């Protein structure tokens, strides 16, 4: 759990080393650096202070006289649960040092910022979300847009052959590359996937994303903070309340808004219901890819959870649950009794389904692939069930508890091997833990209002309320534990209620980048199950 004494110790070290370039805000460290000293700082933070995980990178154009661009690197210390934001101040055309040698998963993040802001990194960066050869840079101010170039599917990587026929052939000579495009039953329209077999097991893979890119970050920057709340649900519909609550939580932290205890309780209930819905979806996908009839039973269980959302918010996926300052509505009459009936039915059904599945050797054999160790998980910035399946006991509900998660009795299931079977077991156990959390919250539901009178107003009145509050000028990162992992927002306001820059943190982005690690050693008939067990959402991945 986050410890203020540890925070103060780190604060003393950083302020002593960096002087007046150090600031702290809302339990986060901020350091401003220039490119010439940037890599030294990254090495110092990682090797000496233990910030082994990089959460996000966000770049923004500036009108400052000292620099034209600011790139923020958000790092996490998993031991002390502290976050540090490194602000790299550069000018246009200046070479930006790449940190992929320190954080392997920084590659996709750097590629994304390079194509959005026309940045020059020290290592060559291929386009990630946008077509190759394009000259449009969406996040550059006053950018003029040209026609998008046509782009064909890239060729397979070349294999090495031994030119000396009198010697033994290279192992690569037996390798076979296969393409799984958007219409493949394995990728299900999520991305293009080139997979290399040896020729039985996977030895390498390359993922091509961007087919569902929505430009949400640019869209959000043209809306004010109240309008953004209505759009965040679309990031991942299978667990919609997570992102709307994450955005409301971010704004409330930045503007120092305290929400009622009853609203906190209802938010916890909705977050855990969304986790149940998402996990049931993933388990159903695993059963479908394994040709198990339990697929339909899990979908039926999910339908009962979606009916609870519909009775509360009017939408089957829980859209519009959160409001800044609280929640939209109180729990309707009879909702708690109905939840208890649904929880009993779902619990019994899950136990029967699970016992039936694990009794089949073929099901276990399909899911048991090559192990994924904890070091690889940290190296690729993976979070959520995939991280805990590899043996890492880390969950934001425990490490940085928000609302009153610290007062709730629940366990964090942890795996051993990190295989698809471990991920299945983690999600299965988390279903019971989520129901356990909801039951405890409902049994001790606080009395009172669900939103303060100051924020229970229409749009125009809310704009007037926020206009009277002090506008935060510092970057702020806020996250929560979504069903797939860490989800949140890195935000900065400059003038007015429209964010100058907003970066969406989604777990699916890191999972897609780490696919070569998760599928290495799998057979072709295990690929679809391994992919289904990760629960990658196309909307989270492309944003």
């Amino acid at each position: 759990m986050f410890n203020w004494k540890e925070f103060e110790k780190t604060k003393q070290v950083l302020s002593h080393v960096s002087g007046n370039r150090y600031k702290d805000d809302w339990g986060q460290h901020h350091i401003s650096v220039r490119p010439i000293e940037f890599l030294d700082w990254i090495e110092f933070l990682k090797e000496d202070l233990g910030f082994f995980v990089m959460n996000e990178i966000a770049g923004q154009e500036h009108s400052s006289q000292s620099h034209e661009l600011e790139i923020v690197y958000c790092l996490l210390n998993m031991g002390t649960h502290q976050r540090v934001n490194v602000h790299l101040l550069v000018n246009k055309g200046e070479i930006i040092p790449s940190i992929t040698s320190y954080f392997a998963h920084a590659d996709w993040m750097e590629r994304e910022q390079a194509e959005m802001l026309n940045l020059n990194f020290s290592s060559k960066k291929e386009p990630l979300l946008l077509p190759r050869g394009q000259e449009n840079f969406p996040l550059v101010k006053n950018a003029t847009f040209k026609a998008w170039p046509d782009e064909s599917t890239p060729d397979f990587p070349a294999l090495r052959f031994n030119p000396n026929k009198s010697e033994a052939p290279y192992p690569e000579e037996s390798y076979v590359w296969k393409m799984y495009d958007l219409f493949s039953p394995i990728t299900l329209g999520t991305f293009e996937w080139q997979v290399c077999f040896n020729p039985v097991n996977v030895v390498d893979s390359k993922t091509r994303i961007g087919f569902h890119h929505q430009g949400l970050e640019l869209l959000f920057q043209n809306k004010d903070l109240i309008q953004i709340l209505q759009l965040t649900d679309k990031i991942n519909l299978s667990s919609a309340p997570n992102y709307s609550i994450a955005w409301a939580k971010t704004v409330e932290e930045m503007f120092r808004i305290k929400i009622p205890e009853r609203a906190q309780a209802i938010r916890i209930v909705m977050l855990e219901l969304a986790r149940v819905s998402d996990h049931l979806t993933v388990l159903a996908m695993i059963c479908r890819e394994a040709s198990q009839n339990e697929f339909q039973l899990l979908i039926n269980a999910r339908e009962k959870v979606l009916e609870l959302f519909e009775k509360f918010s009017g939408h089957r996926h829980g859209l519009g649950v959160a409001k800044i300052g609280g929640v939209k509505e109180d729990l309707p009459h009879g909702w708690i009794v109905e939840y208890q009936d649904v929880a009993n039915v779902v619990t019994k059904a899950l136990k029967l389904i699970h016992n039936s599945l694990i009794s089949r050797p073929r099901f276990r054999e399909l899911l048991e692939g090559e192990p994924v160790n904890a070091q690889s998980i940290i190296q690729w910035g993976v979070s959520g069930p995939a991280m805990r399946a590899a043996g890492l006991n880390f969950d934001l509900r425990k490490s940085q508890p928000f609302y009153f998660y610290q007062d709730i009795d629940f366990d964090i299931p942890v795996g051993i091997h990190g295989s698809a079977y471990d991920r299945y077991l983690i999600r299965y156990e988390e279903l019971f833990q989520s129901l356990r959390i909801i039951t405890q919250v409902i049994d001790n539901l606080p009395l009172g209002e669900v939103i303060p009178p100051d924020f229970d107003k229409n749009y125009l009145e809310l704009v007037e309320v926020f206009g009277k509050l002090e506008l935060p000028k510092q970057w702020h990162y806020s996250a929560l534990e979504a069903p797939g992992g860490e989800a949140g927002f890195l935000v900065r306001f400059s003038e007015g209620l429209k964010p100058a820059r907003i970066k969406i943190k989604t777990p699916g982005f890191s999972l897609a980048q780490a696919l070569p690690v998760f599928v290495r050693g799998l057979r072709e008939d295990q690929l679809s199950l391994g992919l289904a067990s990760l629960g990658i959402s196309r909307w989270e991945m492309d944003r």
Side-chain angles (χ1 to χ4, degrees), residues 407-410 435-444:
D407 300 325
I408 304 174
D409 181 27
F410 66 102
L435 294 174
R436 179 180 171 190
I437 291 171
I438 296 172
T439 301
Q440 291 180 64
V441 172
I442 286 177
D443 288 344
N444 300 277

Side-chain angles (χ1 to χ4, degrees), residues 273 276 280 283 297-298 300-302 304-305 308 338-356 424 428-439:
L273 269 185
V276 171
L280 287 172
L283 296 185
L297 297 177
L298 289 166
N300 292 341
R302 188 191 68 168
K304 296 185 180 298
V305 176
L308 290 174
E338 186 163 350
Y339 160 76
Q340 291 169 336
D341 294 337
V342 170
N344 291 332
V345 171
V346 170
T347 300
K348 292 177 182 178
L350 280 173
K351 290 179 179 179
L352 289 172
I353 293 169
H354 176 67
N355 291 334
S356 175
Y424 161 80
Y428 169 75
E429 180 58 33
E430 285 189 357
L431 284 167
F432 292 99
Q433 297 302 322
S434 291
L435 294 174
R436 179 180 171 190
I437 291 171
I438 296 172
T439 301

Side-chain angles (χ1 to χ4, degrees), residues 1-8 10 25-29 76-83 396 398-401:
M1 186 179 293
F2 181 83
N3 190 313
W4 279 104
K5 290 184 179 179
E6 293 293 332
F7 179 84
E8 290 297 326
T10 307
D25 180 66
W26 199 259
Q28 296 183 16
H29 308 285
L76 168 69
N77 185 321
M78 294 179 63
T80 60
H81 312 297
Q82 299 179 63
R83 299 186 189 274
L396 289 178
K398 289 283 190 179
S399 63
Q400 293 178 323

Side-chain angles (χ1 to χ4, degrees), residues 139-169:
L139 297 184
V140 173
K141 293 180 180 177
N142 303 320
T144 56
F145 288 88
K146 303 176 183 178
W148 296 103
D150 293 331
E151 184 183 20
S152 59
T153 300
D155 297 329
F156 290 131
L159 298 175
R160 286 195 317 134
F161 292 89
N162 191 343
N164 191 342
K165 300 304 179 182
S166 63
E167 296 179 357

Side-chain angles (χ1 to χ4, degrees), residues 43-53 75-80 82:
E43 183 176 1
F44 171 65
L45 290 170
K46 182 180 180 181
E47 304 298 337
D48 296 338
L49 297 184
F51 289 89
F52 289 112
V53 179
L75 279 67
L76 168 69
N77 185 321
M78 294 179 63
T80 60
Q82 299 179 63

